[in-house]
Amino acid sequence: MGIYRQQKLAFFFVALLGFIHIRLNNAQSSTTLVPAIITFGDSAVDVGNNDYIHTLFKANYPPYGRDFVTRQPTGRFCNGKLATDITADTLGFTTYPAAYLSPEASGKNLLIGTNFASAAAGFDDKTAILNHAIPFSTQMQYYKEYQSKLAKVAGSQKAASILKDALYIISAGSSDFLQNYYINPYLNKLYTPDQYGSYLVGIFTSSVKDLYGQGARRIGVTSLPPLGCLPAARTLFGFHENGCVSKINTDAQQFNKKMNSAATQLQKQLPGLKIAVFDIFQPLYDLVKSPSDHGFAEANRGCCGTGTVETTSLLCNPKSPGTCSNATQYVFWDSVHPSQAANQVPCIECRIVHPLIIDVIRLATYCDHYIVFKCLANTHCTIPFWRMGIYNNRPALLLLLVALLGSAIRLSSAQESTTLVPAIITFGDSASDVGNNDYIITLFKANYPPYGRDFVTHQPTGRFCNGKLVTDMTADALGFTTYPAAYLSPEASGKNLLIGTNFASAAAGYDDKTAILNHAIPLSKQMQYYKEYKSKLVKVAGSQKAESILKDALYILSAGTADFLQNYYFNPYLNKISTPRQYSSYLVRIFTHFVKDLYGQGARRIGVTSLPPLGCLPAAKTMFGFHKSGCISKINRDAKQFNKKMNSTAAQLRKQLPGLKIAIFDVFQPMYDLVNYPSDHGKVETTSLFCNPKLAGTCSNATEYVFWDGIHLSEAANKVLADTLIMQGIYLLG
């Protein structure tokens, strides 16, 4: 078992495009994004090893494989492709790594990796022994044999390189519970579920250390799914319980928590290890609970036979009565394994695969504590930049604004000094997130060193920068002595609310699905928080003053980059239903509704950042450049199209909404110039910095760098942009 997890594997390694050197594999006719894929585990990833051993758990007979490329059974526990097959397709492989026990696993075929997985195996060797599968320890022995064979084919030096840079996939644990613990009276007496989970995690830890010792550095491990929602589990253990079996799901959640903790410790202990536990519990639970929302008609049973207990040839075979004719309507192929449709359907890509795309970034970075490298989160590059020639003289800018604004200067009761606006209220992404993501369950956080090392406090605050963000510098220039707090932080209370607040969340976009996929705060939720903030502000300031603050405040909105870089370009479904131009139009419609809602709530001064030259960002150049030098023109064209629509829409909004002052800060050309001619602006380096306290190679002087990491600007670059934002914002403040 453990097999339901195969659907979450599909496409997740796409995220490695930006962090792994593209190599030409000798066994491939095309360029692949990793040299090899090496797989361990259970039937979620078994591509035929069980065909070569004596066991009941085989899938080498019809109707298995009926929708596969060859229309023949191959040993895969599915009607078609497994998620690992789809992953290989996505990474550029033209053939799939073969089952290690098959004749195909020989010669040059070994160069692209191999597959040791065995249906009915688990972390606990006794699970496999009970079911006559290949124990995990034996799979590890096979891996050591494979290393020797690979060295003979490729030579020792090349073999070592392949093994180091390969992707290692581990899928195990479900069989340990469903095919061992829950049906084994001895284990039930010896261990509680929690204790058995600890026992399994101990084996997992030892196995990872063994793999690491053998050269593995990028390891992706699947968590347990909601085991109590599998049709077989509901049939065998439900005892007439309606829906999923809650007790079993609770056990799975406890196990997943232990796995995450163990992986965190392993990453600390083993230098250079990149390990990610792909947590799929909630997305899979949602899929089973609401299949129609994702294009399915049936999630309670599988397509083959009765779909309630079938996992072997005894029940799922060519003569099984009731086997469906169209598996695309079924989440499950049999009572445990998902159908090919479930491995490929858009809802899986959106709700399951993309959270894992973010998870897998951890495999390609050196960030500790499962902190995802922010390359796909959002970007500071949406911050305005205009070559005005006044880069380092904010006092002069402030005086200019005072002269221009005159009576617009107001005294904020939360400030000791004169401020040019009463409050700054911010929405958006990591370009302006000052710590909201510190208070939610998400991988996109910046509350660890070296983030914040050059900030006022020299401590990480949740800002995606080595120091101040542009919004901080804007507040400085406008006369604020403290910065509006992250809305979810304890500081966002009482009189602090008088100077505004910040709702931005790294990994958010205009499209709520972008944030949902990455467990960030959707823009619609940020709007809900804004309405809550209004009520709180009234309690602090009174209704009349609160209304005045909200009307005269400066509203900043930074979004859009994550929608493209972290959603559209990686989402095959979106690519099929929308061109970049059409997706841009969709995002602009959301933007329009958002602005109208803000206007209805009292906002009158709104500054919105355009898209930067997305194709010039270091992470984008790495992910999509394919060895091309310079910026990626196709992605830049998409950004230009989006910006053109935004400008047109803003002009229409100004006409439609009396008193609205809205400006789209065009950062495209200035950012393009800054990246391509950094020395003109006093910067000498435009490549990204991988970020964590122990990272070798992190620069000692960030003032010479345009970028702090692969997306986010250094404080030095932010200083340049902050001045130009003020210049562009005069219209809004006047």
Side-chain angles (χ1 to χ4, degrees):
M1 298 222 182
I3 31 245
Y4 185 56
R5 286 165 300 135
Q6 67 186 36
Q7 62 184 0
K8 56 47 171 121
L9 293 170
F11 298 108
F12 66 15
F13 287 116
V14 157
L16 292 171
L17 302 185
F19 308 99
I20 301 174
H21 296 296
I22 298 172
R23 298 171 175 81
L24 182 64
N25 189 294
N26 290 340
Q28 296 284 104
S29 61
S30 61
T31 300
T32 59
L33 300 176
V34 293
I37 301 174
I38 298 170
T39 307
F40 303 84
D42 53 26
S43 59
V45 290
D46 184 355
V47 295
N49 280 303
N50 276 24
D51 295 356
Y52 300 92
I53 63 175
H54 295 290
T55 179
L56 289 174
F57 292 92
K58 297 177 184 287
N60 59 347
Y61 54 89
Y64 287 101
R66 73 179 192 186
D67 300 312
F68 192 64
V69 179
T70 60
R71 307 296 177 186
Q72 297 293 322
T74 62
R76 290 166 169 82
F77 284 76
C78 186
N79 60 307
K81 292 183 180 181
L82 300 181
T84 46
D85 299 321
I86 300 168
T87 299
D89 292 338
T90 305
L91 294 177
F93 288 74
T94 57
T95 58
Y96 305 131
Y100 183 70
L101 298 185
S102 71
E104 289 74 24
S106 60
K108 290 187 176 181
N109 289 342
L110 296 176
L111 294 172
I112 63 170
T114 190
N115 185 307
F116 304 103
S118 173
F123 288 116
D124 187 348
D125 276 2
K126 293 186 290 294
T127 299
I129 293 170
L130 287 171
N131 298 297
H132 303 285
I134 304 170
F136 202 81
S137 62
T138 302
Q139 294 183 36
M140 292 292 291
Q141 291 175 19
Y142 286 154
Y143 171 64
K144 294 172 184 177
E145 289 181 3
Y146 164 73
Q147 290 188 72
S148 299
K149 294 179 180 179
L150 184 64
K152 292 179 181 178
V153 175
S156 58
Q157 186 173 354
K158 183 176 180 180
S161 176
I162 290 172
L163 294 171
K164 179 183 177 183
D165 295 325
L167 299 180
Y168 292 78
I169 303 173
I170 300 175
S171 170
S174 294
S175 294
D176 291 314
F177 281 95
L178 294 184
Q179 284 176 259
N180 192 354
Y181 180 81
Y182 293 136
I183 61 174
N184 190 330
Y186 173 74
L187 283 180
N188 276 254
K189 290 181 179 180
L190 189 62
Y191 299 112
T192 65
D194 187 62
Q195 290 170 334
Y196 187 60
S198 297
Y199 170 70
L200 297 179
V201 170
I203 298 171
F204 156 73
T205 300
S206 298
S207 298
V208 169
K209 289 180 177 179
D210 194 358
L211 277 177
Y212 177 88
Q214 297 295 318
R217 289 298 181 271
R218 296 184 175 98
I219 303 174
V221 187
T222 64
S223 73
L224 288 183
L227 295 176
C229 294
L230 305 185
R234 292 162 71 173
T235 301
L236 297 172
F237 308 109
F239 304 109
H240 303 295
E241 182 176 350
N242 188 27
C244 301
V245 186
S246 57
K247 173 62 173 64
I248 294 178
N249 279 348
T250 299
D251 293 343
Q253 288 175 309
Q254 290 176 342
F255 177 83
N256 292 341
K257 184 177 180 180
K258 292 177 184 291
M259 286 285 282
N260 277 291
S261 178
T264 300
Q265 292 302 314
L266 285 165
Q267 190 146 311
K268 291 179 180 179
Q269 296 168 10
L270 305 176
L273 174 65
K274 305 165 188 179
I275 185 169
V277 177
F278 305 118
D279 187 359
I280 61 164
F281 188 97
Q282 191 61 47
L284 295 181
Y285 182 85
D286 292 342
L287 179 63
V288 172
K289 283 292 187 179
S290 304
S292 61
D293 291 347
H294 309 281
F296 291 106
E298 179 59 69
N300 294 325
R301 61 187 181 89
C303 168
C304 189
T306 67
T308 57
V309 292
E310 291 84 354
T311 56
T312 71
S313 59
L314 298 177
L315 295 170
C316 183
N317 60 59
K319 299 180 180 180
S320 296
T323 296
C324 71
S325 59
N326 182 8
T328 62
Q329 296 294 305
Y330 285 70
V331 172
F332 295 99
W333 166 244
D334 55 26
S335 64
V336 174
H337 305 92
S339 64
Q340 178 176 266
N343 288 329
Q344 294 177 315
V345 78
C347 72
I348 300 300
E349 295 163 8
C350 293
R351 296 300 307 278
I352 296 173
V353 174
H354 278 70
L356 291 163
I357 286 178
I358 306 310
D359 286 344
V360 83
I361 293 174
R362 297 177 296 190
L363 299 181
T365 71
Y366 291 91
C367 294
D368 291 334
H369 310 299
Y370 291 103
I371 301 300
V372 175
F373 185 59
K374 308 306 184 298
C375 69
L376 295 178
N378 298 283
T379 178
H380 53 268
C381 294
T382 52
I383 294 169
F385 176 85
W386 202 1
R387 296 198 304 178
M388 301 292 292
I390 315 176
Y391 298 134
N392 298 304
N393 192 0
R394 284 194 300 284
L397 286 174
L398 186 57
L399 290 174
L400 174 62
L401 285 172
V402 169
L404 290 172
L405 298 178
S407 61
I409 299 176
R410 296 170 176 82
L411 181 65
S412 170
S413 57
Q415 299 281 105
E416 294 180 359
S417 60
T418 300
T419 60
L420 299 178
V421 293
I424 300 175
I425 298 170
T426 306
F427 303 84
D429 54 31
S430 60
S432 49
D433 184 353
V434 296
N436 281 303
N437 276 24
D438 294 355
Y439 299 91
I440 63 175
I441 300 174
T442 179
L443 295 172
F444 289 89
K445 298 177 185 286
N447 59 348
Y448 60 97
Y451 286 101
R453 74 178 191 188
D454 301 313
F455 192 65
V456 179
T457 60
H458 299 289
Q459 297 293 324
T461 63
R463 290 165 168 83
F464 289 80
C465 184
N466 61 305
K468 292 182 181 181
L469 300 181
V470 169
T471 49
D472 299 320
M473 297 172 186
T474 300
D476 290 341
L478 294 177
F480 287 73
T481 57
T482 59
Y483 304 130
Y487 182 71
L488 297 185
S489 72
E491 288 74 23
S493 60
K495 290 187 177 181
N496 289 341
L497 297 176
L498 294 172
I499 63 168
T501 191
N502 185 309
F503 305 101
S505 173
Y510 288 111
D511 187 347
D512 274 5
K513 292 187 289 294
T514 300
I516 291 169
L517 294 173
N518 301 298
H519 306 288
I521 305 170
L523 196 61
S524 63
K525 183 65 174 178
Q526 294 182 37
M527 176 60 76
Q528 290 176 21
Y529 284 150
Y530 171 68
K531 294 173 183 178
E532 287 181 2
Y533 163 73
K534 289 178 62 180
S535 299
K536 294 179 181 179
L537 186 63
V538 168
K539 292 179 181 179
V540 175
S543 59
Q544 186 173 354
K545 184 175 181 181
E547 181 179 354
S548 176
I549 290 173
L550 294 171
K551 179 182 178 182
D552 294 326
L554 173 63
Y555 292 77
I556 299 174
L557 173 60
S558 169
T561 300
D563 292 314
F564 282 93
L565 291 186
Q566 202 168 325
N567 192 353
Y568 181 83
Y569 293 137
F570 286 118
N571 191 327
Y573 174 66
L574 282 180
N575 278 253
K576 288 181 180 178
I577 66 170
S578 301
T579 63
R581 187 185 298 271
Q582 290 169 331
Y583 189 59
S584 291
S585 297
Y586 170 69
L587 297 179
V588 171
R589 286 195 295 272
I590 298 172
F591 157 73
T592 301
H593 291 306
F594 185 84
V595 170
K596 288 181 176 179
D597 197 355
L598 266 184
Y599 178 89
Q601 297 294 321
R604 291 299 181 270
R605 296 188 176 98
I606 304 174
V608 186
T609 62
S610 73
L611 286 183
L614 297 177
C616 293
L617 304 184
K621 290 163 71 173
T622 305
M623 285 185 291
F624 306 107
F626 302 105
H627 297 300
K628 294 180 181 178
S629 60
C631 302
I632 305 169
S633 57
K634 170 63 174 65
I635 295 178
N636 280 348
R637 285 197 299 271
D638 293 345
K640 285 183 178 180
Q641 290 174 350
F642 177 85
N643 292 342
K644 184 176 181 180
K645 292 177 184 289
M646 287 286 281
N647 279 292
S648 176
T649 300
Q652 292 300 316
L653 287 167
R654 283 193 292 270
K655 293 178 181 179
Q656 297 170 11
L657 305 176
L660 175 65
K661 295 182 178 180
I662 184 170
I664 304 296
F665 300 117
D666 188 1
V667 304
F668 189 96
Q669 191 61 47
M671 277 295 301
Y672 185 90
D673 292 343
L674 184 62
V675 171
N676 285 279
Y677 308 102
S679 61
D680 293 350
H681 306 278
K683 307 294 178 289
V684 298
E685 178 60 67
T686 61
T687 57
S688 62
L689 303 176
F690 291 92
C691 244
N692 76 60
K694 301 178 181 179
L695 177 66
T698 298
C699 71
S700 58
N701 182 10
T703 62
E704 296 184 341
Y705 284 72
V706 172
F707 293 98
W708 168 244
D709 57 27
I711 290 288
H712 303 93
L713 292 182
S714 66
E715 183 183 66
N718 282 336
K719 288 178 180 177
V720 175
L721 299 187
D723 292 343
T724 61
L725 183 149
I726 294 296
M727 295 303 295
Q728 293 187 58
I730 289 175
Y731 159 75
L732 297 178
L733 302 177

